[in-house]
Amino acid sequence: CSSALDTLTVGFHFFPPSGTGGVVVWHQIPAQGQSYPAPRWGHVLLPMVHAPFSTVSRFLLFGGTNGQQFFNDVWLLTVDLSSCPDMPSVAWTQVNPAAVAGIPSGRADFSTTVLSFFQPASPLLGSTFKLFFFGGATQQGPSDEAWILFGSLGEAPALEWKRVDADVSAGAPGSRVGATAFYNQGVDYVTLFGGRTADGRLLNDLWFLTSAAGENGPTKWCLGSPDGLPSAPPPRAYAHADVYQFRITGGDADSEARW
């Protein structure tokens, strides 16, 4: 993404299911109304609602930066295909999660994974979810904080922030940006791999956060393999992990091998 602020636009690029004559066609759709997120990069935009045979989809946006400030706002993007399947209408709504125990500071290039998600048959009933966030770049430098955003996205979205209070007696991952996070629902733990430190050094350490969703005993950080281990994947940041298994691909690294 370009760092030049004058090249950024606020909008939604939609790829219709059918294209035109076998050619992929993107449509830029401007935000409707007076309220929409500021231009940014380094954020996350997650699909949160898309029931079968429904024309309405919803996406949740958090964080990011414009190069001058870091954002911690949360937005809901609603995409409606009912009026015209090839050119949907879109609307942004800012959501203010409850902050019983504080909220994360503005950040970008953090790690994200989905801890739980339930989608009712009707989008109007709203999905319920838990999202996990770790680290990222902040105004004070890379972070080592872990947060959970949870709640429901019905007609009246209700969200809440919770900082992860984990046992760090066996150590914990240090501050970093661009780490890869993956959640294994079967054993309720988050796997965290690699990232980049404040001085630009790439990492290849592996960490586990047990009982990440808080449903299977105490939450605790455990070291899987230390940084610098030769038999581990080469150090990297911004790598991709498959949805169904922890398989590392790509990222900023000296090797393009898959693990």
Side-chain angles (χ1 to χ4, degrees), residues 64-96:
T65 180
N66 62 6
Q68 298 176 344
Q69 68 181 107
F70 292 90
F71 301 103
N72 66 347
D73 47 354
V74 178
W75 292 81
L76 187 64
L77 171 64
T78 301
V79 181
D80 190 348
L81 295 168
S82 60
S83 58
C84 180
D86 290 326
M87 185 63 74
S89 64
V90 302
W92 289 98
T93 304
Q94 186 167 9
V95 182
N96 296 307

mmCIF file of all heavy atoms in Angstrom, residues 64-96:
data_model
loop_
_atom_site.group_PDB
_atom_site.id
_atom_site.type_symbol
_atom_site.label_atom_id
_atom_site.label_comp_id
_atom_site.label_asym_id
_atom_site.label_seq_id
_atom_site.Cartn_x
_atom_site.Cartn_y
_atom_site.Cartn_z
ATOM 1 N N GLY A 64 -5.255 0.467 12.278
ATOM 2 C CA GLY A 64 -4.598 0.986 11.105
ATOM 3 C C GLY A 64 -3.887 2.302 11.381
ATOM 4 O O GLY A 64 -3.932 2.846 12.493
ATOM 5 N N THR A 65 -3.232 2.818 10.372
ATOM 6 C CA THR A 65 -2.501 4.075 10.488
ATOM 7 C C THR A 65 -2.551 4.821 9.162
ATOM 8 O O THR A 65 -2.728 4.199 8.103
ATOM 9 C CB THR A 65 -1.027 3.833 10.887
ATOM 10 O OG1 THR A 65 -0.339 5.078 10.998
ATOM 11 C CG2 THR A 65 -0.309 2.981 9.850
ATOM 12 N N ASN A 66 -2.396 6.121 9.215
ATOM 13 C CA ASN A 66 -2.275 6.919 7.994
ATOM 14 C C ASN A 66 -0.867 7.479 7.843
ATOM 15 O O ASN A 66 -0.623 8.360 7.023
ATOM 16 C CB ASN A 66 -3.305 8.053 7.981
ATOM 17 C CG ASN A 66 -3.115 9.033 9.127
ATOM 18 O OD1 ASN A 66 -2.152 8.951 9.890
ATOM 19 N ND2 ASN A 66 -4.042 9.959 9.271
ATOM 20 N N GLY A 67 0.057 6.968 8.648
ATOM 21 C CA GLY A 67 1.430 7.437 8.603
ATOM 22 C C GLY A 67 1.727 8.550 9.588
ATOM 23 O O GLY A 67 2.889 8.845 9.856
ATOM 24 N N GLN A 68 0.670 9.156 10.137
ATOM 25 C CA GLN A 68 0.836 10.235 11.096
ATOM 26 C C GLN A 68 0.232 9.897 12.454
ATOM 27 O O GLN A 68 0.716 10.344 13.478
ATOM 28 C CB GLN A 68 0.197 11.519 10.560
ATOM 29 C CG GLN A 68 0.824 12.013 9.273
ATOM 30 C CD GLN A 68 0.114 13.223 8.711
ATOM 31 O OE1 GLN A 68 -1.012 13.534 9.101
ATOM 32 N NE2 GLN A 68 0.747 13.913 7.777
ATOM 33 N N GLN A 69 -0.829 9.088 12.449
ATOM 34 C CA GLN A 69 -1.458 8.668 13.694
ATOM 35 C C GLN A 69 -1.933 7.231 13.561
ATOM 36 O O GLN A 69 -2.115 6.711 12.447
ATOM 37 C CB GLN A 69 -2.649 9.577 14.043
ATOM 38 C CG GLN A 69 -3.833 9.452 13.085
ATOM 39 C CD GLN A 69 -4.970 10.373 13.444
ATOM 40 O OE1 GLN A 69 -5.227 11.369 12.773
ATOM 41 N NE2 GLN A 69 -5.679 10.037 14.515
ATOM 42 N N PHE A 70 -2.087 6.591 14.720
ATOM 43 C CA PHE A 70 -2.568 5.214 14.768
ATOM 44 C C PHE A 70 -4.017 5.223 15.262
ATOM 45 O O PHE A 70 -4.351 5.949 16.198
ATOM 46 C CB PHE A 70 -1.692 4.365 15.692
ATOM 47 C CG PHE A 70 -0.297 4.147 15.155
ATOM 48 C CD1 PHE A 70 0.725 5.033 15.452
ATOM 49 C CD2 PHE A 70 -0.024 3.059 14.349
ATOM 50 C CE1 PHE A 70 2.004 4.837 14.957
ATOM 51 C CE2 PHE A 70 1.260 2.849 13.851
ATOM 52 C CZ PHE A 70 2.274 3.750 14.157
ATOM 53 N N PHE A 71 -4.848 4.389 14.639
ATOM 54 C CA PHE A 71 -6.271 4.358 14.952
ATOM 55 C C PHE A 71 -6.619 3.154 15.828
ATOM 56 O O PHE A 71 -6.025 2.079 15.694
ATOM 57 C CB PHE A 71 -7.097 4.292 13.663
ATOM 58 C CG PHE A 71 -6.873 5.444 12.732
ATOM 59 C CD1 PHE A 71 -6.091 5.292 11.593
ATOM 60 C CD2 PHE A 71 -7.435 6.680 12.989
ATOM 61 C CE1 PHE A 71 -5.877 6.351 10.722
ATOM 62 C CE2 PHE A 71 -7.227 7.755 12.134
ATOM 63 C CZ PHE A 71 -6.451 7.584 10.992
ATOM 64 N N ASN A 72 -7.605 3.340 16.712
ATOM 65 C CA ASN A 72 -8.166 2.222 17.481
ATOM 66 C C ASN A 72 -9.675 2.196 17.361
ATOM 67 O O ASN A 72 -10.363 1.638 18.213
ATOM 68 C CB ASN A 72 -7.746 2.291 18.955
ATOM 69 C CG ASN A 72 -8.329 3.491 19.671
ATOM 70 O OD1 ASN A 72 -8.863 4.420 19.052
ATOM 71 N ND2 ASN A 72 -8.251 3.492 20.999
ATOM 72 N N ASP A 73 -10.200 2.800 16.300
ATOM 73 C CA ASP A 73 -11.649 2.810 16.106
ATOM 74 C C ASP A 73 -12.131 1.499 15.490
ATOM 75 O O ASP A 73 -11.376 0.760 14.860
ATOM 76 C CB ASP A 73 -12.084 4.007 15.240
ATOM 77 C CG ASP A 73 -11.247 4.177 13.986
ATOM 78 O OD1 ASP A 73 -10.241 3.445 13.821
ATOM 79 O OD2 ASP A 73 -11.595 5.031 13.149
ATOM 80 N N VAL A 74 -13.398 1.215 15.720
ATOM 81 C CA VAL A 74 -14.039 0.002 15.210
ATOM 82 C C VAL A 74 -15.215 0.427 14.334
ATOM 83 O O VAL A 74 -16.041 1.243 14.752
ATOM 84 C CB VAL A 74 -14.537 -0.899 16.359
ATOM 85 C CG1 VAL A 74 -15.254 -2.132 15.810
ATOM 86 C CG2 VAL A 74 -13.370 -1.317 17.254
ATOM 87 N N TRP A 75 -15.276 -0.138 13.128
ATOM 88 C CA TRP A 75 -16.333 0.205 12.183
ATOM 89 C C TRP A 75 -16.999 -1.056 11.656
ATOM 90 O O TRP A 75 -16.374 -2.113 11.556
ATOM 91 C CB TRP A 75 -15.774 0.992 11.005
ATOM 92 C CG TRP A 75 -15.294 2.366 11.348
ATOM 93 C CD1 TRP A 75 -14.098 2.708 11.907
ATOM 94 C CD2 TRP A 75 -16.009 3.587 11.154
ATOM 95 N NE1 TRP A 75 -14.017 4.056 12.083
ATOM 96 C CE2 TRP A 75 -15.165 4.631 11.612
ATOM 97 C CE3 TRP A 75 -17.258 3.901 10.625
ATOM 98 C CZ2 TRP A 75 -15.550 5.965 11.571
ATOM 99 C CZ3 TRP A 75 -17.634 5.239 10.562
ATOM 100 C CH2 TRP A 75 -16.795 6.254 11.030
ATOM 101 N N LEU A 76 -18.252 -0.924 11.299
ATOM 102 C CA LEU A 76 -19.021 -2.003 10.692
ATOM 103 C C LEU A 76 -19.379 -1.586 9.274
ATOM 104 O O LEU A 76 -19.970 -0.524 9.061
ATOM 105 C CB LEU A 76 -20.282 -2.281 11.503
ATOM 106 C CG LEU A 76 -21.114 -3.503 11.100
ATOM 107 C CD1 LEU A 76 -20.299 -4.780 11.308
ATOM 108 C CD2 LEU A 76 -22.404 -3.551 11.915
ATOM 109 N N LEU A 77 -18.995 -2.396 8.315
ATOM 110 C CA LEU A 77 -19.315 -2.152 6.912
ATOM 111 C C LEU A 77 -20.439 -3.097 6.493
ATOM 112 O O LEU A 77 -20.300 -4.318 6.602
ATOM 113 C CB LEU A 77 -18.084 -2.391 6.031
ATOM 114 C CG LEU A 77 -18.313 -2.393 4.519
ATOM 115 C CD1 LEU A 77 -18.779 -1.020 4.039
ATOM 116 C CD2 LEU A 77 -17.056 -2.823 3.781
ATOM 117 N N THR A 78 -21.540 -2.534 6.014
ATOM 118 C CA THR A 78 -22.671 -3.328 5.545
ATOM 119 C C THR A 78 -22.745 -3.235 4.022
ATOM 120 O O THR A 78 -22.780 -2.137 3.462
ATOM 121 C CB THR A 78 -23.997 -2.833 6.152
ATOM 122 O OG1 THR A 78 -23.907 -2.907 7.579
ATOM 123 C CG2 THR A 78 -25.164 -3.691 5.680
ATOM 124 N N VAL A 79 -22.746 -4.383 3.372
ATOM 125 C CA VAL A 79 -22.822 -4.465 1.912
ATOM 126 C C VAL A 79 -24.144 -5.127 1.548
ATOM 127 O O VAL A 79 -24.417 -6.256 1.964
ATOM 128 C CB VAL A 79 -21.647 -5.274 1.340
ATOM 129 C CG1 VAL A 79 -21.727 -5.337 -0.183
ATOM 130 C CG2 VAL A 79 -20.323 -4.679 1.786
ATOM 131 N N ASP A 80 -24.964 -4.434 0.769
ATOM 132 C CA ASP A 80 -26.297 -4.921 0.418
ATOM 133 C C ASP A 80 -26.388 -5.116 -1.089
ATOM 134 O O ASP A 80 -26.239 -4.165 -1.866
ATOM 135 C CB ASP A 80 -27.356 -3.912 0.885
ATOM 136 C CG ASP A 80 -28.767 -4.469 0.772
ATOM 137 O OD1 ASP A 80 -28.933 -5.534 0.131
ATOM 138 O OD2 ASP A 80 -29.690 -3.849 1.309
ATOM 139 N N LEU A 81 -26.635 -6.354 -1.505
ATOM 140 C CA LEU A 81 -26.731 -6.697 -2.916
ATOM 141 C C LEU A 81 -28.169 -6.750 -3.426
ATOM 142 O O LEU A 81 -28.395 -7.118 -4.572
ATOM 143 C CB LEU A 81 -26.076 -8.061 -3.166
ATOM 144 C CG LEU A 81 -24.573 -8.167 -2.934
ATOM 145 C CD1 LEU A 81 -24.152 -9.624 -2.944
ATOM 146 C CD2 LEU A 81 -23.816 -7.387 -3.968
ATOM 147 N N SER A 82 -29.135 -6.413 -2.585
ATOM 148 C CA SER A 82 -30.535 -6.616 -2.961
ATOM 149 C C SER A 82 -30.979 -5.730 -4.120
ATOM 150 O O SER A 82 -31.789 -6.137 -4.956
ATOM 151 C CB SER A 82 -31.439 -6.377 -1.748
ATOM 152 O OG SER A 82 -31.289 -5.056 -1.252
ATOM 153 N N SER A 83 -30.457 -4.504 -4.188
ATOM 154 C CA SER A 83 -30.918 -3.584 -5.225
ATOM 155 C C SER A 83 -30.276 -3.864 -6.580
ATOM 156 O O SER A 83 -30.905 -3.746 -7.622
ATOM 157 C CB SER A 83 -30.645 -2.132 -4.808
ATOM 158 O OG SER A 83 -29.257 -1.953 -4.571
ATOM 159 N N CYS A 84 -28.991 -4.219 -6.554
ATOM 160 C CA CYS A 84 -28.275 -4.469 -7.814
ATOM 161 C C CYS A 84 -27.078 -5.362 -7.535
ATOM 162 O O CYS A 84 -26.091 -4.905 -6.960
ATOM 163 C CB CYS A 84 -27.834 -3.159 -8.449
ATOM 164 S SG CYS A 84 -26.955 -3.398 -10.013
ATOM 165 N N PRO A 85 -27.138 -6.640 -7.921
ATOM 166 C CA PRO A 85 -26.060 -7.580 -7.581
ATOM 167 C C PRO A 85 -24.694 -7.157 -8.107
ATOM 168 O O PRO A 85 -23.673 -7.486 -7.520
ATOM 169 C CB PRO A 85 -26.525 -8.885 -8.237
ATOM 170 C CG PRO A 85 -28.011 -8.739 -8.367
ATOM 171 C CD PRO A 85 -28.253 -7.283 -8.616
ATOM 172 N N ASP A 86 -24.654 -6.442 -9.241
ATOM 173 C CA ASP A 86 -23.366 -6.069 -9.821
ATOM 174 C C ASP A 86 -22.825 -4.750 -9.285
ATOM 175 O O ASP A 86 -21.704 -4.353 -9.609
ATOM 176 C CB ASP A 86 -23.480 -5.989 -11.346
ATOM 177 C CG ASP A 86 -23.664 -7.367 -11.970
ATOM 178 O OD1 ASP A 86 -23.098 -8.335 -11.422
ATOM 179 O OD2 ASP A 86 -24.383 -7.471 -12.972
ATOM 180 N N MET A 87 -23.619 -4.023 -8.508
ATOM 181 C CA MET A 87 -23.161 -2.770 -7.932
ATOM 182 C C MET A 87 -23.843 -2.575 -6.582
ATOM 183 O O MET A 87 -24.879 -1.928 -6.480
ATOM 184 C CB MET A 87 -23.463 -1.598 -8.859
ATOM 185 C CG MET A 87 -22.907 -0.259 -8.357
ATOM 186 S SD MET A 87 -21.106 -0.256 -8.242
ATOM 187 C CE MET A 87 -20.680 -0.158 -9.980
ATOM 188 N N PRO A 88 -23.306 -3.185 -5.515
ATOM 189 C CA PRO A 88 -23.978 -3.150 -4.224
ATOM 190 C C PRO A 88 -23.937 -1.771 -3.584
ATOM 191 O O PRO A 88 -23.103 -0.935 -3.927
ATOM 192 C CB PRO A 88 -23.181 -4.152 -3.394
ATOM 193 C CG PRO A 88 -21.808 -4.091 -3.993
ATOM 194 C CD PRO A 88 -22.014 -3.902 -5.467
ATOM 195 N N SER A 89 -24.834 -1.565 -2.647
ATOM 196 C CA SER A 89 -24.771 -0.360 -1.819
ATOM 197 C C SER A 89 -23.985 -0.701 -0.563
ATOM 198 O O SER A 89 -24.047 -1.827 -0.058
ATOM 199 C CB SER A 89 -26.173 0.116 -1.449
ATOM 200 O OG SER A 89 -26.834 -0.854 -0.652
ATOM 201 N N VAL A 90 -23.222 0.254 -0.074
ATOM 202 C CA VAL A 90 -22.421 0.030 1.124
ATOM 203 C C VAL A 90 -22.665 1.156 2.113
ATOM 204 O O VAL A 90 -22.975 2.286 1.727
ATOM 205 C CB VAL A 90 -20.912 -0.063 0.798
ATOM 206 C CG1 VAL A 90 -20.631 -1.174 -0.184
ATOM 207 C CG2 VAL A 90 -20.392 1.257 0.255
ATOM 208 N N ALA A 91 -22.545 0.847 3.392
ATOM 209 C CA ALA A 91 -22.719 1.856 4.439
ATOM 210 C C ALA A 91 -21.791 1.529 5.597
ATOM 211 O O ALA A 91 -21.653 0.362 5.995
ATOM 212 C CB ALA A 91 -24.167 1.893 4.910
ATOM 213 N N TRP A 92 -21.142 2.556 6.141
ATOM 214 C CA TRP A 92 -20.255 2.415 7.292
ATOM 215 C C TRP A 92 -20.966 2.885 8.557
ATOM 216 O O TRP A 92 -21.664 3.889 8.545
ATOM 217 C CB TRP A 92 -19.004 3.263 7.111
ATOM 218 C CG TRP A 92 -18.041 2.782 6.075
ATOM 219 C CD1 TRP A 92 -17.920 3.228 4.790
ATOM 220 C CD2 TRP A 92 -17.038 1.765 6.244
ATOM 221 N NE1 TRP A 92 -16.905 2.569 4.145
ATOM 222 C CE2 TRP A 92 -16.339 1.670 5.009
ATOM 223 C CE3 TRP A 92 -16.665 0.953 7.306
ATOM 224 C CZ2 TRP A 92 -15.292 0.771 4.818
ATOM 225 C CZ3 TRP A 92 -15.620 0.060 7.117
ATOM 226 C CH2 TRP A 92 -14.951 -0.026 5.898
ATOM 227 N N THR A 93 -20.745 2.163 9.658
ATOM 228 C CA THR A 93 -21.274 2.554 10.964
ATOM 229 C C THR A 93 -20.172 2.401 12.000
ATOM 230 O O THR A 93 -19.583 1.325 12.134
ATOM 231 C CB THR A 93 -22.466 1.662 11.385
ATOM 232 O OG1 THR A 93 -23.472 1.706 10.369
ATOM 233 C CG2 THR A 93 -23.047 2.127 12.707
ATOM 234 N N GLN A 94 -19.876 3.466 12.735
ATOM 235 C CA GLN A 94 -18.870 3.353 13.784
ATOM 236 C C GLN A 94 -19.489 2.707 15.015
ATOM 237 O O GLN A 94 -20.590 3.048 15.427
ATOM 238 C CB GLN A 94 -18.282 4.709 14.153
ATOM 239 C CG GLN A 94 -17.128 4.593 15.137
ATOM 240 C CD GLN A 94 -16.335 5.874 15.291
ATOM 241 O OE1 GLN A 94 -16.734 6.926 14.790
ATOM 242 N NE2 GLN A 94 -15.203 5.796 15.973
ATOM 243 N N VAL A 95 -18.755 1.754 15.589
ATOM 244 C CA VAL A 95 -19.207 1.031 16.777
ATOM 245 C C VAL A 95 -18.266 1.389 17.923
ATOM 246 O O VAL A 95 -17.039 1.418 17.745
ATOM 247 C CB VAL A 95 -19.190 -0.489 16.538
ATOM 248 C CG1 VAL A 95 -19.719 -1.228 17.760
ATOM 249 C CG2 VAL A 95 -20.010 -0.849 15.306
ATOM 250 N N ASN A 96 -18.835 1.654 19.084
ATOM 251 C CA ASN A 96 -18.033 2.005 20.254
ATOM 252 C C ASN A 96 -18.118 0.877 21.282
ATOM 253 O O ASN A 96 -19.058 0.825 22.083
ATOM 254 C CB ASN A 96 -18.512 3.320 20.859
ATOM 255 C CG ASN A 96 -18.317 4.488 19.919
ATOM 256 O OD1 ASN A 96 -17.229 4.713 19.422
ATOM 257 N ND2 ASN A 96 -19.392 5.227 19.651
#
